[in-house]
Amino acid sequence: MSSGRKYGSELSAALYVWLFLGALFLTTGVLLGARTNLAIGAAITGLVLVQGLRTCHSHHGLAAEREHVRRTLQDAIVPITLRLRNRGPYYYYYVNLLDHFRAGGGKRVRATVAELLPGTLAEFHYQGHCDYRRGLFVLGPIELMLQDELGFFRRRLPQNIFTELMVCPRPYVAKELRLLTGGTHTNIGRD
């Protein structure tokens, strides 16, 4: 992370190279009076600005959800389904999802969508092993990482989606107890 913040926008190393090239072409175009350099510098700077504005304002319409059983046994495997819907008008490329499975000791699960078109749904399945301990666990949040097509800008978006999972103790099979054998009254004894 170059920005040092947990959520928000992040800049890639490639962006700095393109900004330097744009500034170089613009500067040489102004100093030397070269229209070709001015045009190239303006094109590079415009491309970077368009990608930055698109990344900052294009996260509307994304909705994530998690589905799983609500109760399970300790040491069990829980199938979990993550869904990501794009209800907005924008195309998304390389959307990364990060889910927190706390019943497995804080395990993080990552998934990537190569392309998410407007009006489409992406679905992921993973299995969480409840090997941490028993009790009530809150799974989540789901974090989305968006980036533009050229990889200049990345944006982290927390989705406040929390679901509960109750991990119950696994019952042990009791041995047969013969405390009452052949009783003296009806329905007392073996029955």
Side-chain angles (χ1 to χ4, degrees), residues 101-113:
F101 186 73
R102 306 212 188 280
K107 179 180 170 188
R108 295 180 173 201
V109 180
R110 297 182 185 274
T112 302
V113 182

Side-chain angles (χ1 to χ4, degrees), residues 37-182:
N37 286 10
L38 277 174
I40 293 172
I44 291 173
T45 306
L47 178 66
V48 169
L49 287 175
V50 166
Q51 291 297 328
L53 289 173
R54 184 175 181 272
T55 304
C56 290
H57 297 291
S58 66
H59 63 278
H60 302 291
L62 284 178
E65 62 184 37
R66 180 189 307 105
E67 183 179 299
H68 57 82
V69 297
R70 299 289 175 215
R71 185 178 300 249
T72 188
L73 297 175
Q74 186 179 11
D75 235 6
I77 303 292
V78 177
I80 297 175
T81 302
L82 295 177
R83 291 187 186 92
L84 180 62
R85 295 181 193 276
N86 183 4
R87 296 184 178 127
Y90 296 103
Y91 292 85
Y92 295 101
Y93 299 94
Y94 299 108
V95 180
N96 293 311
L97 284 88
L98 175 66
D99 195 13
H100 297 82
F101 186 73
R102 306 212 188 280
K107 179 180 170 188
R108 295 180 173 201
V109 180
R110 297 182 185 274
T112 302
V113 182
E115 184 178 54
L116 191 62
L117 304 175
T120 58
L121 166 76
E123 190 171 278
F124 302 96
H125 304 279
Y126 75 90
Q127 295 180 340
H129 187 199
C130 299
D131 58 351
Y132 183 49
R133 62 176 187 239
R134 301 181 296 253
L136 179 64
F137 292 92
V138 177
L139 306 185
I142 296 175
E143 296 177 23
L144 302 178
M145 173 75 105
L146 305 177
Q147 70 179 21
D148 64 309
E149 296 87 350
L150 301 176
F152 291 159
F153 299 93
R154 289 185 297 269
R155 183 161 187 182
R156 262 184 212 276
L157 298 170
Q159 302 289 305
N160 292 327
I161 298 169
F162 298 97
T163 54
E164 294 181 348
L165 176 65
M166 176 63 80
V167 179
C168 301
R170 186 170 290 279
Y172 292 100
V173 178
K175 296 179 181 176
E176 183 180 346
L177 300 176
R178 295 182 181 238
L179 297 178
L180 300 174
T181 60

